[in-house]
Amino acid sequence: TVMLAVAIQGCALKPQYLHLDPEIDVTGESVAVDTLVGLSVRDSRTSKILGEVGDPNNPNQGMVDVTLDEDFIPLMTERLSEALEKRGFSVVPESEAMTRSLVIDISSLDLNSEKTPFNFQTELRAEVTATAQNTNEQYERRYYVRSYQETAGPPFEKHSNQLVNDAVSNALSDMLNDDNLFVMLAR
């Protein structure tokens, strides 16, 4: 009975604190040569909580929050600056005096996983909006990623972290390989 108690206790869900550090894959060609662009990365989500994981019908375990553990803007700005340089831009912080600017907004990031009678259903949604300005031209587009999976058990912190980073990575990679955006920005 001691082993059983340890096994059950080891499976208890705890609040999850995730670290956002997506890998960004840039496959698009360089469209500029040291062209100056102002970059701003923003987080306009209404809540810093991504969602919940657990069993809403189990009063002993219930649901636990999934949250990002830190301000990800500085790291995201660094990653995106490196990616923009691969497309041929020199990156500086965005200001109103800039001729060219790119504002990247993490507008939605949600992760929810609920137990159903037979399994856990996990849904992840990420939405990134890019707004590029070049003199009088503007280009705005949303890059949306949604994933859904069914598993025997709940996603624990390591798995949730992987899901969130993969989704943000896919959205940002789609944006950074959007030739329409970068050709307009390079004009």
Side-chain angles (χ1 to χ4, degrees), residues 4-187:
L4 180 60
V6 170
I8 292 171
Q9 187 178 19
C11 291
L13 282 173
K14 297 177 184 139
Q16 298 182 7
Y17 300 97
L18 309 183
H19 175 69
L20 187 61
D21 185 8
E23 289 186 25
I24 302 170
D25 186 26
V26 180
T27 57
E29 299 287 321
S30 179
V31 295
V33 179
D34 285 335
T35 302
L36 192 65
V37 66
L39 173 66
S40 176
V41 179
R42 300 180 182 156
D43 178 11
S44 66
R45 296 174 301 131
T46 55
S47 171
K48 302 311 171 202
I49 295 173
L50 302 181
E52 296 179 315
V53 172
D55 183 352
N57 299 315
N58 180 343
N60 296 328
Q61 188 172 32
M63 303 295 284
V64 297
D65 285 341
V66 180
T67 311
L68 291 177
D69 70 352
E70 62 206 4
D71 178 11
F72 61 84
I73 299 297
L75 182 59
M76 189 80 73
T77 300
E78 180 184 325
R79 295 280 186 271
L80 288 164
S81 294
E82 293 167 2
L84 288 169
E85 288 168 5
K86 290 180 182 174
R87 298 287 326 241
F89 293 91
S90 292
V91 182
V92 296
E94 188 249 349
S95 73
E96 288 188 26
M98 304 290 308
T99 305
R100 289 179 187 84
S101 64
L102 178 59
V103 176
I104 298 170
D105 181 30
I106 308 300
S107 42
S108 174
L109 192 54
D110 301 302
L111 173 70
N112 287 291
S113 183
E114 278 192 20
K115 182 166 183 0
T116 63
F118 302 108
N119 57 27
F120 276 81
Q121 295 181 347
T122 303
E123 182 177 28
L124 177 91
R125 291 175 307 192
E127 186 177 304
V128 175
T129 305
T131 306
Q133 185 89 30
N134 185 354
T135 314
N136 295 327
E137 285 185 87
Q138 184 169 326
Y139 180 91
E140 183 172 306
R141 184 167 168 201
R142 289 190 173 165
Y143 304 87
Y144 188 76
V145 173
R146 180 181 178 268
S147 67
Y148 175 84
Q149 57 186 214
E150 294 182 10
T151 55
F156 288 98
E157 190 168 280
K158 182 178 179 182
H159 187 231
S160 295
N161 205 58
Q162 184 72 42
L163 286 171
V164 167
N165 276 289
D166 285 351
V168 173
S169 175
N170 288 337
L172 292 174
S173 294
D174 286 350
M175 189 242 349
L176 284 157
N177 293 300
D178 182 346
D179 286 335
N180 293 330
L181 182 150
F182 285 100
V183 166
M184 186 282 291
L185 207 52
R187 276 197 270 263

